[in-house]
Amino acid sequence: YGRSIVFETPSIPALPTFDPGTHILKFVIVEPEQDIPLPTAIYYVTAEEHEKKIVAISLVSPEADSRIPYSPVRFEWKTSHTPAVFLIEFFAANNDDKPIFSAFTKEQAYKLNRVVLKKLFLPGMSYEWRVKGFDGDRNIVGESKRWKFSFLEPESFVPGQVLVVVDSKKSPKKIIRGLKRKYHFRVLEKFQIATLQWHVFVINTNGDVFTLISKLLKEKGVIIAQPNYIMRTMVEPLSSSQNVCRILRLPMVHRQLTGKGITVAVIDTGVDVKHRDLKNNIVSWKNFVENDTYKAEIHGTAVAGVIAAKINDYGIEGIAPDARIVALRACKQLSKESPEGECESVCLVKALDNALEMHVDIVNMSFGSKYEDALLSRLISVGAERGTILVAPIGYFPGNGSVSFPASHPDVVAVGGMDEDRLKETENLRTGKKIIYAPSRNILTTVPGDEHNFLSGTSLSSAVVTGIIALAKERDRGIDMNKIPLYEGNICKWEEKILKLPVCGGDFSKP
């Protein structure tokens, strides 16, 4: 805990190289400086006296010019002669020189994993791939053509589904029956939003979603008609450390404030309610993901740990270690190895309604979308009117140039990451929204199975600010969105203002 070592190679050709001549491979430590003798490897590559016959490798899938989902995808090929090893290479479209990623495999297939996908490939962009084969002596014996493919933008809403909202006081069943006869849709689900006294019907159509929505909005009795949006959590796994305790001076702050008596709802993927750092602070948990059971997942567990991991001589120290957590699973983790989660409007609305009905003090919503969800937006407004503080990350969508929803909502505390690159990417956002920037890189936090790991992303920034607000709420129960101080470029100074403590220096013995 607290230390890490990162080994990073310079931009050199992949080894072994096949260029004839003498090659020297050195291992060098440049920082810190040292005089330890390190080994040098010298090897030779000799030119072949005759050219070997190159066998054609046929690419199979994805087919040439395919448009494929932005998710881990399997690339397949075949050849009449099986080499000892294959090399699959990926190129940016129209770039004939340097591959952006390559990998060796003995199989006639390779699956692009989620980590590589997120790091090196972008949705909506085009790429090319090819395969080479090498014999046991590393001589090239096979090669394919280059095929082009592109990644689709992730789905922004559930295909064919529309949410129809009707006032509970105006015969909702009668209204929906009339609409059903007129537009020939199928009702998949219905539920009530207690906070708003509205009925929501989830319907399915074979026609165009937005054409149906435009017609429904003109019908008497319909308050809202919208797609069933898909939002996504905002976090990525990394491997080194950042000392949040040191930046926020938490050991000193916790002498005065610990978040005692404050309840925070975490709307996210499933929180590990049995984790030793969390179990004593979790007061309730509930699942809102359809056709699934509650389960412990990476993202929700990580966010909850940043907010309220218990001080118990075991793992980490949360920002508000005595705050109570209500774990509301409204998102599902997409794969075992990645923290990325996906959340539908229906699940998020149910979870936020539940949180507001429980009268929680703060709601952390570490998810986002490029699109504003009208129903969720209305719930947020009502929650803020009641004095609940809602926090969400601004996210980052390449080429979008705007704060993601729900962080873009005027009643939500918007949080960005302190990572240098992200600040450059977000400093020209098209918004008048005031943003608080908090630590986002390499945060040590809880993950399922009584374990800890380093993660990064604005989801973690949001959790940091949520924790600080929980501390402030303990001191002043009357604090709301309007009483949160402006961020002026320094998270420590902002923490100092909201907590009314000499966080960045001074005497901690006095309030």
Side-chain angles (χ1 to χ4, degrees), residues 218-233:
K218 298 174 183 177
E219 295 287 347
K220 188 176 180 180
V222 174
I223 301 171
I224 292 173
Q226 67 169 62
N228 188 5
Y229 287 110
I230 298 174
M231 302 194 190
R232 291 174 173 83
T233 54

Side-chain angles (χ1 to χ4, degrees), residues 352-385:
L352 182 54
D353 183 41
N354 182 267
L356 297 180
E357 286 298 291
M358 292 181 69
H359 302 288
V360 300
D361 298 293
I362 308 166
V363 179
N364 186 87
M365 305 179 290
S366 286
F367 51 81
S369 169
K370 292 186 286 187
Y371 304 97
E372 181 177 343
D373 185 310
L375 183 52
L376 198 60
S377 180
R378 179 60 183 149
L379 265 178
I380 289 170
S381 296
V382 172
E385 288 171 7

